[in-house]
Amino acid sequence: MEIEQITNENVLEADIRELSMNSDFGKMVFENANKKLTNAQNWLKEANDLEYDKLLEVENDKNQIVSLTNQLITNLEWLRSFDISVIPNAQVEHDNFESRVDGYYNNVYQKLVMKYLPFLREEKRRQNPDEKKIEDEVRRVSQLRKGLAEELESVKSDIEKIRTTGKELGTAKGTRAIVDTGQHFDKEVVRYQNLAKIWLTLAVIGYIVIVCILALEIFPQIEELIDLFNNPEASYISSIWVIVVSKLVILATLWYGLSFIIKNYNVNSHLASINRHRATVAKTLEDYISVEQQQENPRLSEMLKSATEAMFKNAPIGFISKTEKETGNPVLQIINDVMGARGK
């Protein structure tokens, strides 16, 4: 389809994209000309709509706009007649034309955009008061929008400061809580250690008492009991059982008391070790928090969670074993064993 010749009547309505980006050009389409000639056409169209020929009083000024329009016609006509199959050196012609378009665009921008269009727009507003009011309203809205944007930025800044302050305050509270917790566990360690020492002293005394009773009461009667066992008379055998049971009851009672003392020693030693472990975790966590706060993305919540699990999980310390938990009453156990043996 042949494109219509560009004239003064249709230059402002011509399809510049169709002329410059013609598929027949292949890779030698005129992207630069398409953009810049389109802008020039729009500015000339605006000058024409603003009736430059009436508002410009100096004839030379009118002639300059007419000259720019004629140059646009020349450039578009060149594009319309460009044929890569006929022109011997099409690439050179292409590049030269793009350079001419650059010069033409700069001339239009300096003379029309920077000089005549601002004057024509202002004159048109002065002739139409309603448009001037709209322009003033647009200007006020623009100023209001700018003020709101600045106020919004200020509010965002304040919110960020509040968040930062809140994080710092929360971190400070967390660090202080860790320090207080560590000090509390240290106090608990001292208390349970003192109790463990007291129960250890009682255990030593209990062992000494049992050894003394064994040496003074039980061992001297072993030979007597052996003789009574060898005596076939029933009355002596009854006496044997009375002596054995009475001694075992005394011994079992003392042993039960000693077991109670040892269990309390183990419990307090166990609690002292647990609280020492917790105090160590709290003190270590304080150092880790100080280091983590200096990182770009501190993971304090994960660290606190891991520390809490390490601090309060049920750790096997060794002072209280499963056997100790399942131990029953030794007095009843000994008596039951003796009575069972007698029944046999």
Side-chain angles (χ1 to χ4, degrees), residues 100-140:
R100 291 199 303 273
V101 168
D102 288 336
Y104 170 71
Y105 177 83
N106 294 336
N107 194 25
V108 172
Y109 190 84
Q110 292 172 359
K111 293 182 178 180
L112 184 59
V113 177
M114 300 298 295
K115 182 178 178 181
Y116 296 126
L117 281 181
F119 170 77
L120 295 173
R121 291 165 183 166
E122 184 61 28
E123 286 297 311
K124 212 57 173 172
R125 279 195 294 268
R126 289 176 58 187
Q127 293 178 3
N128 193 337
D130 292 336
E131 290 186 6
K132 189 175 187 303
K133 290 180 180 179
I134 294 174
E135 184 69 21
D136 293 339
E137 289 297 328
V138 171
R139 187 181 298 109
R140 281 196 292 269

Side-chain angles (χ1 to χ4, degrees), residues 179-204:
V179 174
D180 294 341
T181 303
Q183 293 175 352
H184 168 73
F185 287 140
D186 283 333
K187 293 179 181 179
E188 291 295 301
V189 170
V190 174
R191 185 167 75 91
Y192 286 120
Q193 279 183 337
N194 292 335
L195 290 174
K197 290 179 181 178
I198 294 174
W199 287 110
L200 180 61
T201 303
L202 292 176
V204 173

Side-chain angles (χ1 to χ4, degrees), residues 8 11 44 47-48 52-53 56 59-74 104 112 116:
N8 192 56
V11 64
L44 289 170
N48 190 68
Y52 73 92
D53 54 334
L56 295 177
E59 197 66 27
N60 184 53
D61 294 335
K62 297 178 184 180
N63 293 335
Q64 287 192 20
I65 296 179
V66 171
S67 176
L68 293 174
T69 305
N70 292 332
Q71 290 178 39
L72 178 62
I73 295 174
T74 302
Y104 170 71
L112 184 59
Y116 296 126

Side-chain angles (χ1 to χ4, degrees), residues 72-292:
L72 178 62
I73 295 174
T74 302
N75 289 326
L76 296 183
E77 269 296 294
W78 187 95
L79 281 173
R80 192 178 72 87
S81 61
F82 181 72
D83 188 353
I84 59 175
S85 62
V86 176
I87 300 175
N89 197 341
Q91 184 64 53
V92 174
E93 292 293 329
H94 172 279
D95 295 342
N96 291 336
F97 178 74
E98 290 281 32
S99 298
R100 291 199 303 273
V101 168
D102 288 336
Y104 170 71
Y105 177 83
N106 294 336
N107 194 25
V108 172
Y109 190 84
Q110 292 172 359
K111 293 182 178 180
L112 184 59
V113 177
M114 300 298 295
K115 182 178 178 181
Y116 296 126
L117 281 181
F119 170 77
L120 295 173
R121 291 165 183 166
E122 184 61 28
E123 286 297 311
K124 212 57 173 172
R125 279 195 294 268
R126 289 176 58 187
Q127 293 178 3
N128 193 337
D130 292 336
E131 290 186 6
K132 189 175 187 303
K133 290 180 180 179
I134 294 174
E135 184 69 21
D136 293 339
E137 289 297 328
V138 171
R139 187 181 298 109
R140 281 196 292 269
V141 170
S142 178
Q143 292 175 350
L144 179 61
R145 181 185 297 175
K146 182 179 179 182
L148 289 175
E150 293 176 353
E151 190 67 24
L152 180 60
E153 288 297 325
S154 177
V155 171
K156 288 181 179 179
S157 178
D158 292 340
I159 292 174
E160 187 63 28
K161 288 180 181 179
I162 292 172
R163 288 178 178 174
T164 304
T165 304
K167 290 180 180 179
E168 292 176 352
L169 182 60
T171 304
K173 287 183 178 179
T175 305
R176 186 178 62 193
I178 292 169
V179 174
D180 294 341
T181 303
Q183 293 175 352
H184 168 73
F185 287 140
D186 283 333
K187 293 179 181 179
E188 291 295 301
V189 170
V190 174
R191 185 167 75 91
Y192 286 120
Q193 279 183 337
N194 292 335
L195 290 174
K197 290 179 181 178
I198 294 174
W199 287 110
L200 180 61
T201 303
L202 292 176
V204 173
I205 295 173
Y207 272 115
I208 294 174
V209 170
I210 290 177
V211 170
C212 291
I213 290 176
L214 288 174
L216 298 177
E217 295 291 334
I218 304 300
F219 292 148
Q221 295 183 359
I222 291 178
E223 294 182 0
E224 180 181 351
L225 291 174
I226 293 174
D227 294 338
L228 289 175
F229 270 113
N230 294 328
N231 194 325
E233 297 183 10
S235 59
Y236 286 104
I237 293 178
S238 299
S239 300
I240 291 172
W241 282 113
V242 171
I243 294 172
V244 169
V245 170
S246 62
K247 299 300 181 181
L248 288 177
V249 168
I250 294 172
L251 182 61
T253 303
L254 293 173
W255 184 258
Y256 175 74
L258 180 61
S259 300
F260 178 78
I261 293 172
I262 294 173
K263 183 177 291 186
N264 278 277
Y265 165 76
N266 287 335
V267 168
N268 284 278
S269 298
H270 178 80
L271 292 174
S273 297
I274 288 178
N275 283 281
R276 186 181 298 108
H277 165 72
R278 291 172 178 173
T280 302
V281 173
K283 293 175 182 177
T284 305
L285 181 60
E286 181 182 358
D287 296 333
Y288 277 117
I289 285 180
S290 300
V291 175
E292 191 67 21

